[in-house]
Amino acid sequence: MRAIARFSTIASLVVSTCIGVTHGNAEFTTIQAAIDAAEPGDVVSIPSGTYTGNIVITDGVMLCGEGAETTIIDGGGASIVVNCGKSSAIMGFTIQNGTTGVYNAGNFIGVSDCVIKDISKTCVRLTHGSALISHNLLQGSGARSSGVVSYQSNPIVSDNVIVDHQWTGVLGTQHHVLTISGNTVAGNRTGVRCMNGSEAIMDGNTFYRNERHIRSVELSDTDIIDAVDLTNAIPYRQPPSGDEFRAEMDRVYQVVAPEHPSLIYTLSDELGTFSMATFWPWATFTVTASAPDTAIDAYAAHDLVELVEIDASYEAEPGPRVVVKNVTLREKQMDRYALTAIYVHPESYAAGADGQIVFSRRTSFTNIRIDVPVGYDVVSVSQPYSVSVEAGRATVEIVDMGRTDIKLVMSPVGP
């Protein structure tokens, strides 16, 4: 990890452009320019000041302010103030003035030691992916404001103060399990709510002055309902070091990633044709082919516990996809419900150079396995991976939360 763009001293606390900001021989005039110059694993450190405009944190970059009391990102009414890439993080800022404060864009992210306020709808919004959300003050503003909204995501929400939201302090929806621990949840219309099959693990939270503390959630023995001195309930700190927070994110990632649905590609001897199998803890889901010209030759869905076929249907629009909808099947179990299909897409599985073959595919699944054709070795993979061989067949495994562009190069096994 390297530190990048440690800004030069700026006298004014109100900064619209940062003239003279340097890193090495480069000079930056905005936070975004410094982020764009960073590489995955870098820390971009920002001095005290008020910075206007929305930003996009690129994959693997950690953005660290000097502290929420003095380092401010004002979105100027942006729909999303901070948009986060894969395994990116933001620490030590006040984030304000927008519709959504921080958005994960389907990725795994970290949000720590921030104040997020004056946001009209959602302080932290998660759509798929996951997050570590810790030691933040999430303060409501607006008729339908929420602190954390988690759609098909399983974040760890810990040690935050979540106050004054006219809708919900923490809302989980669509199947996944949230972990909500050590938070102060006060003055919200509803403190914590789960819906549409979502669940929450609750531990050590304090509820106070909410119109309704919980909805479709059960308090644990360690959760309490008690008065809180909110004037002194400040969760954010001087941000920890980038190494420390990244290590904590890595620990959380190891917990949350295995809880996501998984995908197996099985590559046949016939180029252009491969099978796809997805495994889910719930029985209602949709799998859309990432390439719109993919032909789906056959498909079937099964409950692997009851050993029965379950309803599935094919839809051509807006793209080739299979819809599995079984709303009466409520029991959850990892990898219980499976969809298998035969895909035909010559561009995804084709001949390369010198007798090699190449498999290229985009997916949003986190847990990915690729069964290589018998008689071929793995030459290269576009993401970090592990490989095993059984009965002469190599299997590649990738864990990568967010959109993943796979490129797997294989060559024939030598004599």
Side-chain angles (χ1 to χ4, degrees), residues 57-73:
I57 306 177
T58 51
D59 292 355
V61 171
M62 183 172 292
L63 189 68
C64 188
E66 288 194 355
E69 293 177 318
T70 62
T71 317
I72 300 165
I73 299 174

Side-chain angles (χ1 to χ4, degrees), residues 76-408:
S79 59
I80 298 171
V81 181
V82 180
N83 205 327
C84 294
K86 282 185 183 181
S87 298
S88 68
I90 184 164
M91 301 191 304
F93 287 88
T94 288
I95 300 165
Q96 64 186 30
N97 195 6
T99 303
T100 295
V102 178
Y103 178 50
N104 78 326
N107 300 304
F108 175 74
I109 67 169
V111 184
S112 178
D113 301 287
C114 290
V115 174
I116 307 179
K117 65 175 187 174
D118 297 329
I119 299 296
S120 62
K121 195 168 184 181
T122 309
C123 289
V124 181
R125 179 162 65 95
L126 310 174
T127 303
H128 306 282
S130 190
L132 170 60
I133 303 168
S134 66
H135 295 95
N136 303 287
L137 171 60
L138 309 180
Q139 187 168 19
S141 174
R144 293 183 65 83
S145 64
S146 294
V148 177
V149 173
S150 174
Y151 175 86
Q152 286 197 11
S153 178
N154 60 337
I156 307 293
V157 182
S158 64
D159 302 304
N160 304 280
V161 173
I162 305 170
V163 295
D164 298 337
H165 296 280
Q166 294 303 305
W167 190 245
T168 312
V170 180
L171 173 64
T173 182
Q174 296 295 334
H175 303 300
H176 274 293
V177 180
L178 296 76
T179 301
I180 303 171
S181 64
N183 303 283
T184 297
V185 184
N188 307 284
R189 183 178 177 184
T190 302
V192 175
R193 180 183 181 183
C194 285
M195 56 190 293
N196 298 328
S198 184
E199 302 174 28
I201 299 170
M202 307 284 287
D203 180 35
N205 302 287
T206 300
F207 293 86
Y208 174 55
R209 204 171 42 80
N210 302 290
E211 290 185 23
R212 189 170 181 172
H213 295 308
I214 56 172
R215 188 171 177 181
S216 301
V217 178
E218 291 187 6
L219 296 177
S220 72
D221 293 339
T222 59
D223 294 308
I224 62 173
I225 299 172
D226 199 3
V228 177
D229 178 6
L230 293 174
T231 60
N232 294 314
I234 299 174
Y236 56 88
R237 319 150 291 184
Q238 195 67 21
S241 70
D243 284 340
E244 180 182 345
F245 190 60
R246 195 176 296 280
E248 182 61 23
M249 287 179 63
D250 288 343
R251 287 191 290 271
V252 168
Y253 194 93
Q254 299 304 313
V255 172
V256 299
E259 298 176 353
H260 285 238
S262 57
L263 164 68
I264 299 175
Y265 291 117
T266 302
L267 306 184
S268 69
D269 294 331
E270 180 185 352
L271 295 182
T273 300
F274 52 96
S275 68
M276 179 277 307
T278 61
F279 300 87
W280 306 76
W282 49 84
T284 295
F285 55 87
T286 299
V287 178
T288 301
S290 56
D293 55 344
T294 300
I296 301 178
D297 263 13
Y299 62 88
H302 292 85
D303 181 336
L304 300 180
V305 172
E306 298 295 333
L307 299 179
V308 295
E309 188 168 345
I310 56 179
D311 290 339
S313 60
Y314 171 80
E315 295 181 358
E317 298 294 338
R321 61 183 187 167
V322 178
V323 178
V324 180
K325 190 172 184 179
N326 295 273
V327 295
T328 61
L329 299 178
R330 299 288 187 181
E331 187 177 349
K332 292 184 180 180
Q333 184 174 321
M334 284 304 300
D335 296 344
R336 172 170 180 167
Y337 305 99
L339 170 68
T340 58
I342 303 296
Y343 281 6
V344 179
H345 191 249
E347 289 80 7
S348 290
Y349 184 34
D354 301 324
Q356 295 178 338
I357 55 175
V358 179
F359 179 67
S360 302
R361 197 72 182 175
R362 171 174 290 179
T363 182
S364 59
F365 280 82
T366 296
N367 302 293
I368 306 160
R369 192 179 101 187
I370 308 168
D371 292 333
V372 173
V374 175
Y376 281 82
D377 283 334
V378 175
V379 175
S380 64
V381 184
S382 53
Q383 282 77 30
Y385 70 100
S386 62
V387 64
S388 59
V389 179
E390 185 174 344
R393 183 166 204 159
T395 294
V396 171
E397 296 194 42
I398 300 168
V399 179
D400 191 37
M401 197 175 297
R403 189 181 72 185
T404 302
D405 290 311
I406 302 167
K407 183 176 182 181
L408 168 62

